[in-house]
Amino acid sequence: MSTKTDKQLEEGIRGGGASVSKSAIMPPWDATLTDQEIKALVLYLRKLCNCRFEGVISDEKLRKISPDFK
């Protein structure tokens, strides 16, 4: 979780696991949750894991390593 930005987590919640190259078992929530609810969920997840994005790896660096990174 500390290598994922809030935006990346929001995208995974909105589009489901398959939208971020993860398991398709997690459904998309964009039709169920509002933007505000998704942002609140990300904050809750951060609190549960007691972590925050530390900029360990940026999206740009990951795309250089793995061009298919979403």
Side-chain angles (χ1 to χ4, degrees), residues 28-57:
W29 290 93
D30 61 340
T32 306
L33 300 174
T34 65
D35 285 342
Q36 186 176 6
E37 290 170 326
I38 291 172
K39 289 181 186 302
L41 180 55
V42 169
L43 290 175
Y44 180 69
L45 292 171
R46 293 282 188 207
K47 187 170 184 163
L48 280 179
C49 77
N50 195 24
C51 63
R52 64 187 196 315
F53 175 64
E54 297 177 7
V56 176
I57 299 176

Side-chain angles (χ1 to χ4, degrees):
M1 291 275 294
S2 64
T3 62
K4 301 292 182 198
T5 65
D6 288 354
K7 182 180 176 186
Q8 289 172 311
L9 296 176
E10 289 174 20
E11 289 173 1
I13 294 167
R14 270 192 193 87
S19 72
V20 289
S21 301
K22 299 293 181 191
S23 174
I25 293 173
M26 180 180 159
W29 290 93
D30 61 340
T32 306
L33 300 174
T34 65
D35 285 342
Q36 186 176 6
E37 290 170 326
I38 291 172
K39 289 181 186 302
L41 180 55
V42 169
L43 290 175
Y44 180 69
L45 292 171
R46 293 282 188 207
K47 187 170 184 163
L48 280 179
C49 77
N50 195 24
C51 63
R52 64 187 196 315
F53 175 64
E54 297 177 7
V56 176
I57 299 176
S58 70
D59 288 359
E60 185 177 312
K61 286 181 184 176
L62 285 173
R63 282 193 194 92
K64 287 180 183 175
I65 297 167
S66 176
D68 295 331
F69 171 76
K70 294 185 178 184

